[in-house]
C-alpha cells in the first residue's frame, strides 16, 4: 500500500512539473509598459480667405440676353479686383448656368417666361487686408451679387502641423512620466507608436473648415466697411498614441 501511494505521489509530481513547464512556454513574460495619448492644440490667425460670390441676372427676352448682361457685370467686377492687385490665380470663374422660369400668364392668357443666368466667382484672397475692399467691389449696387460664404484658412499648414505634432510628442512623454512616477516607476524606451498625421484637419470654431455662414448682399454693404467678416483664430489639433517600456520599482 505504501509503495502504491508513493508511485501515485511521484506521478502527481511529474504532472505538476509538466504543467508548470507548459505554462511557462505558453505564457511569455509581459514587458512592463504604459500607454498614453499625447494631445496638442494650437491656434493660428488666418492669413487668407476663400470667398464664394454668386452673380445672377434675369431677363424677359431670352437666355442669350441674360448671359450677355451677366458677362458684362461679371467682367466689370473681375476687372476691378485685378486693378486692386489680385492675381489671376486668386480669381476662379466657375461654370455659367442659365435657366428659364415660368411666370404667371399675362392678361391675354399668354405664357410668360423669365430667363436667369448665374455664375460663381471664387476669390482666393491671399491678403486679408484687402477683404473689405473686395467685398465692396463684388457687392456693388450694379453687380447683383451675393456672397454665399467665406472660409478662412492659413497658407502654411505644414509649418503649424509640425508644431502641433512636436507638442503632441512632448505631451505624451510628460504624461507617461507623470503616470509612471506615481507608481514608483520610470519610462525607459519606446515600444510602439501609433500616429496618423492630421494637419489637414483645420478647424474654425470647432468645425473643420466651417464657412462663415454669411449671406451678404447690397444692404450689408451699406452698413460700412470693416464689419463684414471677423476672422477668428483657426485651431489645429494633433495627437499620438505611444507605448513606453517601464522600469518598475517597489511600491511602499
Amino acid at each position: 500500500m505504501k509503495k502504491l501511494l508513493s508511485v501515485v505521489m511521484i506521478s502527481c509530481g511529474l504532472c505538476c512539473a509538466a504543467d508548470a513547464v507548459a505554462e511557462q512556454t505558453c505564457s511569455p513574460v509581459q514587458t512592463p509598459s504604459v500607454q498614453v495619448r499625447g494631445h496638442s492644440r494650437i491656434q493660428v490667425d488666418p492669413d487668407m480667405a476663400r470667398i464664394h460670390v454668386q452673380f445672377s441676372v434675369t431677363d424677359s427676352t431670352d437666355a442669350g440676353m441674360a448671359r450677355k448682361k451677366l458677362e458684362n457685370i461679371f467682367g466689370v467686377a473681375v476687372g476691378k479686383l485685378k486693378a486692386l492687385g489680385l492675381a489671376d490665380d486668386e480669381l476662379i470663374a466657375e461654370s455659367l448656368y442659365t435657366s428659364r422660369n415660368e411666370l404667371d400668364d399675362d392678361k391675354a392668357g399668354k405664357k410668360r417666361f423669365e430667363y436667369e443666368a448665374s455664375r460663381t466667382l471664387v476669390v482666393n484672397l491671399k491678403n486679408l487686408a484687402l477683404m473689405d475692399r473686395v467685398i465692396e467691389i463684388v457687392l456693388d449696387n450694379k453687380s447683383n451679387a451675393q456672397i454665399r460664404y467665406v472660409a478662412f484658412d492659413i497658407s502654411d499648414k505644414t509649418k503649424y502641423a509640425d508644431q502641433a505634432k512636436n507638442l503632441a510628442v512632448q505631451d505624451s512623454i510628460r504624461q507617461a512620466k507623470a503616470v509612471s512616477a506615481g507608481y514608483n516607476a520610470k519610462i525607459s524606451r519606446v515600444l510602439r507608436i501609433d500616429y496618423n498625421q492630421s494637419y489637414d484637419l483645420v478647424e474654425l470654431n470647432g468645425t473643420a473648415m466651417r464657412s462663415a455662414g454669411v449671406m451678404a448682399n447690397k444692404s450689408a454693404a451699406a452698413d460700412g466697411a470693416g464689419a463684414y467678416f471677423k476672422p477668428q483664430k483657426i485651431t489645429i489639433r494633433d495627437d499620438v498614441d505611444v507605448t513606453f517600456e517601464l522600469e518598475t520599482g517597489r511600491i511602499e
Side-chain angles (χ1 to χ4, degrees), residues 217-239:
N217 50 34
K218 292 190 291 292
S219 61
D223 293 336
Y228 298 129
F229 305 99
K230 296 296 183 182
Q232 300 185 43
K233 289 183 179 295
I234 291 177
T235 301
I236 300 180
R237 300 177 180 176
D238 208 350
D239 43 53

Side-chain angles (χ1 to χ4, degrees), residues 135-154:
I135 300 302
E136 290 173 359
I137 289 174
V138 298
L139 295 183
D140 181 86
N141 288 331
K142 298 179 181 179
S143 69
N144 196 28
Q146 284 188 329
I147 294 179
R148 307 303 297 183
Y149 71 89
V150 175
F152 294 99
D153 202 353
I154 50 179

Side-chain angles (χ1 to χ4, degrees), residues 189-201:
R189 63 190 180 104
V190 175
L191 297 178
R192 180 185 176 95
I193 300 174
D194 293 312
Y195 177 68
N196 292 313
Q197 192 175 47
S198 58
Y199 70 85
D200 57 337
L201 183 60

Side-chain angles (χ1 to χ4, degrees), residues 121-186:
L121 174 67
V122 180
V123 182
N124 291 317
L125 187 61
K126 299 177 182 179
N127 182 2
L128 289 185
L130 299 176
M131 171 71 83
D132 286 345
R133 189 69 189 100
V134 169
I135 300 302
E136 290 173 359
I137 289 174
V138 298
L139 295 183
D140 181 86
N141 288 331
K142 298 179 181 179
S143 69
N144 196 28
Q146 284 188 329
I147 294 179
R148 307 303 297 183
Y149 71 89
V150 175
F152 294 99
D153 202 353
I154 50 179
S155 56
D156 193 354
K157 294 181 183 178
T158 303
K159 170 185 174 182
Y160 297 105
D162 288 343
Q163 291 183 16
K165 175 179 62 180
N166 292 334
L167 289 173
V169 170
Q170 293 302 315
D171 185 56
S172 69
I173 297 173
R174 180 192 62 79
Q175 289 192 57
K177 287 182 176 180
V179 171
S180 59
Y183 296 96
N184 197 24
K186 63 180 182 179

Side-chain angles (χ1 to χ4, degrees), residues 80-93:
K80 289 182 178 180
L81 292 174
K82 287 185 176 181
L84 190 62
L86 273 66
D88 288 341
D89 62 349
E90 293 182 88
L91 302 171
I92 302 174

